[in-house]
Amino acid sequence: MSVTDAPLTGVQKAALLLMQLDTERAARVMQQFSESEAEEITAEIVRLRRVDPALADSVISEVHDSTIAGRFRSRGGKDVATGLLEASFGSERAAGVMTRVESTMAGQQFEFLETIEDPHLLQLLDGEHPQTVALVLAHLRPERASSALAALPDPLRPQLARRIATMAPPSPEAVSIIAETLKQRAGAAVASREAADSVGGVAPLVEIINRTDKRTETAVLEGLDRLDPELAEEVRSQLLTFADVVHVEDLDMQQVLRGIDPATLAIALRGATPAITEKVTANISARNREILEEETGRPVRLRAAQVEDARTEVVLAMRRLEASGDLVVVRGSEDRYVD
């Protein structure tokens, strides 16, 4: 692709600058980056096939704050990127980085699925092998994937969860073929979005489950218990639960509880441990504490599902803040509470 007049990102500037250096010098610079940073820069070098010399001059002047004389390389591409990676990290590591870059770039072809409603998406995936469905879900944003996972049949969800968590990096060719097949079947235009940073593994599965409702979460985990108990336990250890309120800082807890009705909190605290109850009551206003005490003191029989739904409302608020980086949960084996 050619660079347009749009402002360049920092990664694009770094890629363009490295393209102007000889391989030995560029390799020395590349070695200063982490592998994840090198992957981003490599992807841009692959994309920047032709570069206007004037733009290269402008970038170099910006970086070095001086006039750089000489001829500029106007070509990037896979060969340039591969040579630079090999000189920087060696052939074996370079091959791994390049494979991940190609897989991520190929995965961008699934972007068109982000705007497709669940019924249409499930229709597209109907009849596909579970491994194919898992690969597609792993390439979607966690919010989108969780919605699709919840809409799938109960028996299939644990299988998909296991396949996502244990998935090896797919070949770019396989990803491209699957994406193109679905695209042709859907007849939809591609919508732009950022490529997912990672595909497969426990972490993206946890993000997907964290955004589902409690019933879907329970069904997936119970199914995983039957398929792979060790994996189920690993996933559970990383999920945010109602019991984790005791591990949240007071200021963060106040932010979590802001906007949650005291009546809902009263239901959520039915049968909770003293530590959880104390944590909640200590981080609400005096007025809400009075309402909470009144609601808690009412002799009302509640179904277990009502209590679970109320706790889910608190957990979802925690998960939203954790996802945005505004809440950190510090878990410890010595003081962890379980309902």
Side-chain angles (χ1 to χ4, degrees), residues 34-266:
S34 66
E35 282 198 19
S36 60
E37 292 169 333
E39 287 181 29
E40 291 186 65
I41 294 171
T42 300
E44 290 301 332
I45 292 176
V46 173
R47 292 189 185 98
L48 300 176
R49 296 185 182 280
R50 300 191 64 85
V51 178
D52 186 341
L55 181 59
D57 191 8
S58 173
V59 170
I60 292 176
S61 296
E62 177 185 342
V63 174
H64 295 283
D65 196 24
S66 64
T67 302
I68 305 298
R71 298 180 62 185
F72 301 105
R73 294 183 184 173
S74 60
R75 291 187 178 274
K78 181 178 177 180
D79 291 341
V80 174
T82 300
L84 180 55
L85 285 173
E86 288 179 349
S88 303
F89 300 112
S91 299
E92 186 174 345
R93 288 178 64 192
V97 172
M98 201 66 200
T99 297
R100 291 194 295 272
V101 169
E102 290 180 326
S103 178
T104 298
M105 294 176 71
Q108 289 178 323
Q109 297 177 70
F110 288 107
E111 291 174 347
F112 72 97
L113 295 177
E114 294 289 339
T115 58
I116 293 180
E117 297 294 330
D118 284 340
H120 190 193
L121 177 59
L122 298 187
Q123 185 178 6
L124 289 176
L125 298 175
D126 185 38
E128 293 290 345
H129 190 280
Q131 187 67 21
T132 299
V133 178
L135 184 144
V136 172
L137 293 182
H139 277 88
L140 299 178
R141 287 181 180 274
E143 296 90 341
R144 182 70 189 86
S146 67
S147 173
L149 183 65
L152 286 165
D154 288 347
L156 182 59
R157 287 184 291 192
Q159 296 182 43
L160 295 177
R162 185 186 188 189
R163 289 176 184 273
I164 292 172
T166 59
M167 184 184 299
S171 71
E173 293 78 11
V175 173
S176 296
I177 291 172
I178 294 171
E180 189 59 33
T181 300
L182 292 177
K183 191 181 299 182
Q184 291 177 0
R185 193 181 300 169
V190 177
S192 61
R193 73 166 176 87
E194 294 181 3
D197 291 330
S198 61
V199 175
V202 173
L205 174 60
V206 169
E207 287 196 57
I208 292 172
I209 295 177
N210 263 336
R211 289 166 172 78
T212 63
D213 57 76
K214 185 63 179 178
R215 292 172 181 79
T216 300
E217 174 185 318
T218 300
V220 169
L221 291 176
E222 288 179 349
L224 270 182
D225 279 330
R226 294 188 293 271
L227 288 173
D228 192 331
E230 290 186 5
L231 177 58
E233 185 58 32
E234 183 179 359
V235 172
R236 278 195 178 91
S237 70
Q238 297 185 40
L239 285 174
L240 194 59
T241 68
F242 185 68
D244 284 316
V245 300
V246 298
H247 303 294
V248 177
E249 294 291 335
D250 285 345
L251 289 178
D252 291 341
M253 197 67 230
Q254 292 165 22
Q255 193 173 357
V256 169
L257 298 176
R258 190 178 300 134
I260 297 181
D261 192 283
T264 300
L265 287 178

Side-chain angles (χ1 to χ4, degrees), residues 214-215 267-268 270 301-312:
K214 185 63 179 178
R215 292 172 181 79
I267 296 173
R270 290 294 179 98
R301 296 186 64 185
L302 297 171
R303 297 189 304 274
Q306 291 177 278
V307 176
E308 199 61 65
D309 287 343
R311 292 181 178 184
T312 296

